[in-house]
């Protein structure tokens, strides 16, 4: 990565990289749930869902092309069976595509319900963001800055969508216990009994 920066292999791409990094920083600071309308939240979630679903299709297609190429060329890596390589390539593409499709579905459901995903859904989406960040750092050398820019933009979009739903909770989940319809109003207890018990000293005890 340092050699790529020193040799300046792609002049003109650095503004795009600076834009991607600035976008990530801006959404991290500005993406607060307060004051954000439902239309903005749903729009961001729908865009994130579309991008992730397209990325899922793309990763499956790329792995399919690689598997087909390896199969027709009977390529082998360190003595590995070509059929094993083909099956591994298809499996990696299928798992990656399924993972991205699930993340996109979570954002789509969040947009429809206008409610953030649950705890495990957030864990899955955070993991997706981390994977994009790691792949972006690793893709600079073998692929180039264009792949890095794309992955950083997707990372920023995922973080932005997560922050938009950071404070949305189900309605009524914050009501204190005992505040239902059957509970008595505040400051009112059960009616006091006017029966003071038996009277002692004035003849026979009477209730």
């Amino acid at each position: 990565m340092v050699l790529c920066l020193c040799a300046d292999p792609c002049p003109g791409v650095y503004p795009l990289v600076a834009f991607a990094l600035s976008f990530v920083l801006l959404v991290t600071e500005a993406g607060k749930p307060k004051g954000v309308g439902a239309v903005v939240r749903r729009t961001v979630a729908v865009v994130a869902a579309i991008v992730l679903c397209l990325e899922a299709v793309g990763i499956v297609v790329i792995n399919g092309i690689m598997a087909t190429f390896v199969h027709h060329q009977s390529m082998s890596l360190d003595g590995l069976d070509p059929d094993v390589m083909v099956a591994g390539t298809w499996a990696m593409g299928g798992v990656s595509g399924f993972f991205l499709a699930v993340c996109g579905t979570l954002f789509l459901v969040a947009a429809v319900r206008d409610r953030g995903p649950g705890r495990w859904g957030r864990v899955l989406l955070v993991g997706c963001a981390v994977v994009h960040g790691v792949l972006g750092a690793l893709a600079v050398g073998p692929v180039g800055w264009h792949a890095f820019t794309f992955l950083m933009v997707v990372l920023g979009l995922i973080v932005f969508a997560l922050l938009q739903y950071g404070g949305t909770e189900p309605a009524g989940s914050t009501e204190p216990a005992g505040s239902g319809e059957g509970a008595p109003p505040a400051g009112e207890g059960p009616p006091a009994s006017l029966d003071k018990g038996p009277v002692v000293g004035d003849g026979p005890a009477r209730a």
Side-chain angles (χ1 to χ4, degrees):
M1 181 175 178
V2 176
L3 292 177
C4 291
L5 290 174
C6 295
D8 194 13
C10 348
V13 181
Y14 295 111
L16 296 177
V17 178
F19 171 77
L21 295 176
S22 301
F23 179 76
V24 173
L25 292 176
L26 283 175
V27 299
T28 303
E29 294 295 332
K32 303 299 182 181
K34 296 181 179 180
V36 179
V39 176
V40 177
R41 288 197 303 266
R42 289 179 171 178
T43 302
V44 173
V46 168
V47 172
I50 293 174
V51 171
L52 289 175
C53 289
L54 291 177
E55 190 177 359
V57 174
I59 200 70
V60 172
V61 170
I62 291 175
N63 279 271
I65 293 174
M66 292 174 58
T68 305
F69 183 78
V70 170
H71 175 71
H72 286 299
Q73 297 294 327
S74 297
M75 299 176 64
S76 177
L77 180 63
D78 196 17
L80 193 64
D81 188 3
D83 293 335
V84 175
M85 293 185 61
V86 171
T89 305
W90 274 113
M92 182 176 63
V95 171
S96 302
F98 178 75
F99 174 71
L100 293 172
V102 169
C103 294
T105 304
L106 287 175
F107 277 129
L108 186 60
V109 172
V112 172
R113 301 172 59 190
D114 194 22
R115 184 183 303 172
R119 178 180 302 176
W120 294 109
R122 289 181 181 275
V123 170
L124 194 65
L125 293 174
V126 170
C128 182
V130 172
V131 168
H132 277 81
V134 173
L135 289 179
L138 296 177
V140 175
V143 181
W145 287 101
H146 294 85
F148 172 79
T149 304
F150 172 75
L151 290 171
M152 289 301 102
V153 170
V154 177
L155 168 63
L157 185 61
I158 295 173
V159 174
F160 192 26
L162 280 173
L163 289 175
Q164 297 307 309
Y165 285 98
T168 54
E169 298 293 340
S173 61
T174 58
E175 292 184 359
S179 60
E181 296 180 357
E188 294 185 10
S193 176
L194 299 178
D195 187 5
K196 298 182 180 180
V199 179
V200 180
D202 293 337
R206 58 181 184 274

